[in-house]
Amino acid sequence: QQQVKQSPQSLIVQKGGISIINCAYENTAFDYFPWYQQFPGKGPALLIAIRPDVSEKKEGRFTISFNKSAKQFSLHIMDSQPGDSATYFCAASSGNTGKLIFGQGTTLQVKP
Amino acid sequence: DGGITQSPKYLFRKEGQNVTLSCEQNLNHDAMYWYRQDPGQGLRLIYYSQIVNDFQKGDIAEGYSVSREKKESFPLTVTSAQKNPTAFYLCASSIGGVPGANVLTFGAGSRLTVL
């Protein structure tokens, strides 16, 4: 029940296309859902996050869509660029503990 | 610049040896964490500490030990009891215990290889 399942494992998108990564969870106590971006050899960095009181959050080209009833959330990257090529992790947590449960990760490659 | 410093970046260990990974932060964060990253498995929590002199086991604590004697420092020891220690280790910190506490700042990681 503590798992967060992420798909796909890898994704190849043409420059200018839309990248979509999906995550699903079981624990209804989760109340914070961030996405982290990680470049090779670096630590992950917070990209965007959402709480379950809203269904969508947009920051620039990055949008989180949240479906509370389906217990799913997704990351959409509009107008994908080669510089977006990285590994993306979804995560979830409850309360203010900072203990994040991470998905398995998605390696995104944006082709020029 | 505020951040998290992990050292060493690369470490090689012979089987049966203990090794200690360093993590230092100057963000004045109360909480610190150690995660392990393996290909296709995401990040898994090893240990975390909400305050100085206190820490709790995460999901995969067996074969690891930590200490939290100073707010700024949270070293991780990978003991010889850890059966598969080759991995990328990430240290993180957060404000701790208040709204926004679940925003983690990560270090650049330490890659441990057992020969």
Side-chain angles (χ1 to χ4, degrees):
Chain A
Q1 199 179 25
Q2 282 290 91
Q3 283 188 325
V4 176
K5 295 184 179 180
Q6 183 172 345
S7 63
Q9 186 173 354
S10 62
L11 182 62
I12 299 175
V13 173
Q14 291 295 127
K15 178 182 176 181
I18 302 174
S19 304
I20 301 174
I21 305 171
N22 301 298
C23 284
Y25 64 97
E26 290 295 325
N27 188 348
T28 55
F30 287 151
D31 60 3
Y32 176 72
F33 302 90
W35 285 89
Y36 280 78
Q37 180 188 56
Q38 183 182 32
F39 294 104
K42 305 293 185 183
L46 179 65
L47 186 62
I48 186 172
I50 197 168
R51 293 198 180 271
D53 52 343
V54 296
S55 60
E56 185 176 282
K57 183 174 181 179
K58 183 177 180 179
E59 291 184 2
R61 296 184 294 109
F62 300 91
T63 299
I64 299 178
S65 297
F66 185 81
N67 186 329
K68 189 174 182 177
S69 60
K71 291 184 284 187
Q72 295 176 348
F73 58 110
S74 60
L75 176 69
H76 296 235
I77 306 175
M78 311 300 288
D79 186 25
S80 298
Q81 299 296 313
D84 297 330
S85 297
T87 300
Y88 293 81
F89 293 97
C90 64
S93 70
S94 60
N96 295 321
T97 64
K99 287 175 58 183
L100 295 180
I101 307 298
F102 284 86
Q104 295 83 355
T106 297
T107 301
L108 170 66
Q109 181 183 359
V110 180
K111 290 194 168 183
Chain B
D1 287 339
I4 297 179
T5 301
Q6 290 188 241
S7 63
K9 191 171 179 62
Y10 300 97
L11 184 61
F12 298 89
R13 187 195 94 174
K14 293 181 180 179
E15 284 193 21
Q17 288 182 334
N18 293 355
V19 294
T20 297
L21 308 181
S22 171
C23 178
E24 303 279 333
Q25 56 101 355
N26 61 3
L27 298 167
N28 199 32
H29 284 171
D30 287 316
M32 297 186 74
Y33 313 81
W34 275 104
Y35 283 88
R36 170 177 170 146
Q37 184 175 5
D38 296 282
Q41 295 194 52
L43 280 68
R44 293 179 291 167
L45 183 63
I46 304 172
Y47 268 98
Y48 66 102
S49 168
Q50 303 278 43
I51 57 173
V52 175
N53 292 322
D54 188 45
F55 49 83
Q56 287 79 41
K57 294 181 179 180
D59 300 318
I60 56 166
E62 185 175 352
Y64 300 97
S65 66
V66 294
S67 63
R68 187 85 188 276
E69 298 177 0
K70 298 187 300 181
K71 185 176 183 177
E72 303 79 16
S73 179
F74 192 41
L76 173 74
T77 296
V78 184
T79 76
S80 57
Q82 170 47 236
K83 296 179 181 177
N84 186 20
T86 294
F88 190 50
Y89 291 88
L90 288 159
C91 179
S93 69
S94 69
I95 296 173
V98 296
N102 36 25
V103 177
L104 266 57
T105 299
F106 283 89
S110 292
R111 186 167 297 281
L112 172 62
T113 302
V114 174
L115 303 174

